[in-house]
Amino acid sequence: MISVEKVSTDNQKKDIFTIREQVFVIEQNVPKEEEYDEYEDTSTHYIAYYENKPVGTARWRFTKKGIKLERFAVLAEYRDKKIGRAILENILEEVLPLKANKELYLHAQVQALGFYEKFGFHKEGETFQECDIWHYKMKI
């Protein structure tokens, strides 16, 4: 019912951008120029399918600080179907062996803290805003 793949085709890339536009740009009012950045081509993107329909996405990338997980998005009507869990499990399977001495972190929207805590992430520091949305830095 749920499958998660690394993005490898132009059609998949188009699908993840459509999902991110729906979730971030339309639903959360993130400016389009803030949503799409210079890391699109150097990040490892994932796409999640529910009954063969593209419904979720996320990406990870190397940074100066370590490995950053980001751009987790699931279409609203699929958020109660464990799509985000499947995406995060797939990403962690890939990046945990790469962690070594690197920091593994993400910027979690405040309403998603509990989700990430279930996977061993913990808050670090104070809340901050990105695109007018409150976040915490979280690390494993």
Side-chain angles (χ1 to χ4, degrees):
M1 192 173 282
I2 300 170
S3 64
V4 178
E5 300 175 13
K6 273 191 202 179
V7 171
S8 61
T9 70
D10 288 340
N11 281 341
Q12 286 177 319
K13 201 165 208 180
K14 182 177 167 248
D15 287 340
I16 66 168
F17 289 151
T18 299
I19 293 165
R20 285 171 45 189
E21 181 160 350
Q22 180 63 42
V23 172
F24 296 121
V25 177
I26 296 170
E27 189 180 323
Q28 297 184 348
N29 297 312
V30 172
K32 205 177 241 190
E33 60 275 6
E34 296 283 329
E35 175 52 29
Y36 306 105
D37 61 22
E38 67 271 26
Y39 305 113
E40 300 300 348
D41 292 331
T42 56
S43 297
T44 300
H45 298 265
Y46 282 79
I47 186 166
Y49 298 93
Y50 185 82
E51 297 179 349
N52 297 317
K53 178 182 167 97
V55 298
T57 187
R59 74 181 192 189
W60 70 268
R61 63 186 173 91
F62 289 106
T63 68
K64 291 177 184 170
K65 296 178 186 174
I67 299 171
K68 185 177 183 192
L69 314 185
E70 55 192 3
R71 302 301 200 271
F72 283 84
V74 175
L75 296 176
E77 59 269 32
Y78 295 92
R79 289 190 190 141
D80 62 346
K81 302 193 182 309
K82 300 187 177 9
I83 309 293
R85 176 183 195 83
I87 296 168
L88 185 51
E89 286 173 346
N90 275 265
I91 289 176
L92 289 175
E93 187 176 310
E94 181 174 5
V95 301
L96 283 174
L98 305 174
K99 187 177 181 290
N101 299 335
K102 296 176 183 69
E103 181 175 275
L104 179 58
Y105 69 103
L106 53 83
H107 294 170
Q109 292 185 11
V110 170
Q111 72 272 14
L113 292 177
F115 170 75
Y116 294 111
E117 287 171 343
K118 290 176 189 171
F119 290 88
F121 285 89
H122 58 276
K123 294 187 300 189
E124 182 177 90
E126 300 298 318
T127 56
F128 59 93
Q129 284 192 315
E130 287 182 341
C131 299
D132 293 327
I133 300 169
W134 288 100
H135 289 75
Y136 273 101
K137 180 178 181 180
M138 297 188 84
K139 294 179 9 179
I140 285 187

